[in-house]
Amino acid sequence: MPLWVELVLRVGGVLVAFLTLPLLVGQAEHKIMAHMQGRLGPMYAGAFHGWAQLVADGVKFVQKEDVTPRGADRLVFRFAPVVALVPYLLVLLVIPLGPGDLVAQPLDIGLFFVLAVVGVGVVAVLMSAWASANKYSLLGGLRGAAQLLGYELPLVLAAASVAMAAGTLSLPGIVEAWQPWWLLWQAPALVIFFVAGLAEIRRPPFDMPIADSELVFGYLTEYTGLRFAFFLLAEYVGVVVIAALTTVLFLGGWQGPFADAQLGWLWTLLKVAAVSFVIIWFRVSYPRLREDQLQRLCWLVLVPASLAQLVLTAAVRIAL
């Protein structure tokens, strides 16, 4: 196969996943929340099990007027949704779906690349907050920056623990080195990574930057129409990315109960779907954390626990 054809197929596959998986997560969230909270509307749009709810939302966003505040920095204001989306697209390029060639771009330092790129999300938050010329947006952006910068540390430390255990920064290498007993001694790192990941994508209960009861809608207050839809798409892509990284780093990726490597991609997708369900479940089940509670959880619980996990991992590696 010519190199350019292979390149087009790999990039095209990532684009398809980038455009479809977040929509599936959004549709699933409508249905799961409807069942858990007794919401009737999302279950009836389009008759059978509310299949048209996502279509209705898309039509609604397209029809809304695209408004830019008079005092806004127009270039930064309009570019912020793109900055929110691009990092997740780049991350999907290096996440392996299965063994062999089922990864768009394998990197020996894939984990380092992922953690570096995910951190760019804070730039989009600050861009949208500052450029909106709105005090509620600015307050939400400052909250978001403090949250993202704080939770980046336990996220990186938890990922470093599993990288140390595997002895590599390659994501496929981590999956290949993974053993079922890691579910026990890397369980604290799994919990820390998952919680910090929720905070990084600002999902409930870590949604203080867009607390509607205090800040209207935080750094998204002035966004309408498709630009607002792009920020929502970035949130759902973030759900897919955090679920995929949790799967690859801590749940064995494509490894399943059977030795058939041909079904590896299916095990990966099933695990990603299961973790995505837990993320949605958290949104339904837990109230929003106050800002002081959110920072206390980060600095007094997650950071010390992640450091202790690193010490444990180092001790086990030396012992083995």
Side-chain angles (χ1 to χ4, degrees):
M1 181 183 297
L3 179 61
W4 68 271
V5 175
E6 183 179 356
L7 179 62
V8 169
L9 290 177
R10 289 176 181 271
V11 175
V14 170
L15 285 175
V16 170
F18 178 77
L19 295 174
T20 57
L21 291 180
L23 298 181
L24 293 176
V25 171
Q27 181 76 349
E29 183 170 64
H30 278 109
K31 306 310 169 190
I32 293 170
M33 292 179 65
H35 280 294
M36 288 185 171
Q37 297 181 332
R39 298 184 179 187
L40 298 180
M43 304 303 295
Y44 287 93
F48 178 71
H49 210 68
W51 66 268
Q53 180 64 52
L54 199 63
V55 178
D57 289 339
V59 172
K60 175 185 67 176
F61 285 125
V62 170
Q63 289 179 336
K64 284 188 174 181
E65 182 180 3
D66 183 13
V67 178
T68 302
R70 182 179 301 174
D73 186 328
R74 291 179 176 271
L75 179 61
V76 178
F77 182 83
R78 294 174 178 175
F79 195 57
V82 179
V83 177
L85 280 169
V86 169
Y88 295 126
L89 175 60
L90 296 178
V91 168
L92 289 177
L93 287 171
V94 300
I95 294 180
L97 183 61
D101 294 331
L102 289 180
V103 55
Q105 181 57 56
L107 293 177
D108 292 337
I109 56 169
L111 181 58
F112 177 82
F113 174 82
V114 165
L115 296 176
V117 171
V118 167
V120 177
V122 67
V123 177
V125 173
L126 290 175
M127 287 174 64
S128 60
W130 178 258
S132 295
N134 182 295
K135 62 181 179 181
Y136 295 112
S137 298
L138 183 58
L139 287 173
L142 293 176
R143 284 184 178 182
Q147 176 174 318
L148 295 177
L149 292 175
Y151 279 86
E152 188 78 17
L153 183 56
L155 184 80
V156 172
L157 291 175
S161 174
V162 73
M164 184 186 299
T168 179
L169 290 174
S170 168
L171 294 180
I174 291 174
V175 176
E176 292 171 357
W178 184 87
Q179 299 294 330
W181 67 278
W182 285 21
L183 291 173
L184 296 177
W185 75 300
Q186 291 297 321
L190 166 60
V191 174
I192 293 167
F193 185 89
F194 180 76
V195 173
L198 288 183
E200 284 290 306
I201 59 176
R202 301 168 296 284
R203 288 281 299 185
F206 302 97
D207 57 338
M208 278 300 290
I210 55 174
D212 52 346
S213 60
E214 303 175 22
L215 302 178
V216 185
F217 214 59
Y219 62 92
L220 300 179
T221 297
E222 298 291 353
Y223 282 90
T224 58
L226 286 178
R227 299 187 197 280
F228 182 77
F230 287 156
F231 272 111
L232 288 185
L233 179 63
E235 177 183 336
Y236 287 123
V237 179
V239 171
V240 174
V241 166
I242 294 300
L245 288 176
T246 303
T247 296
V248 169
L249 295 177
F250 299 99
L251 301 179
W254 61 76
Q255 297 192 40
F258 306 108
D260 188 2
Q262 300 298 324
L263 295 178
W265 61 271
L266 179 59
W267 290 117
T268 300
L269 291 179
L270 288 176
K271 293 175 184 178
V272 170
V275 177
S276 299
F277 171 78
V278 175
I279 293 175
I280 297 171
W281 193 354
F282 265 64
R283 174 176 181 174
V284 177
S285 304
Y286 290 95
R288 179 185 298 125
L289 293 176
R290 296 196 315 265
E291 188 65 24
D292 61 315
Q293 294 173 331
L294 188 146
Q295 294 296 338
R296 189 180 300 114
L297 174 64
C298 175
W299 295 107
L300 299 183
V301 178
L302 296 185
V303 171
S306 59
L307 290 172
Q309 177 64 36
L310 273 179
V311 173
L312 172 64
T313 302
V316 173
R317 286 285 293 175
I318 293 173
L320 295 178

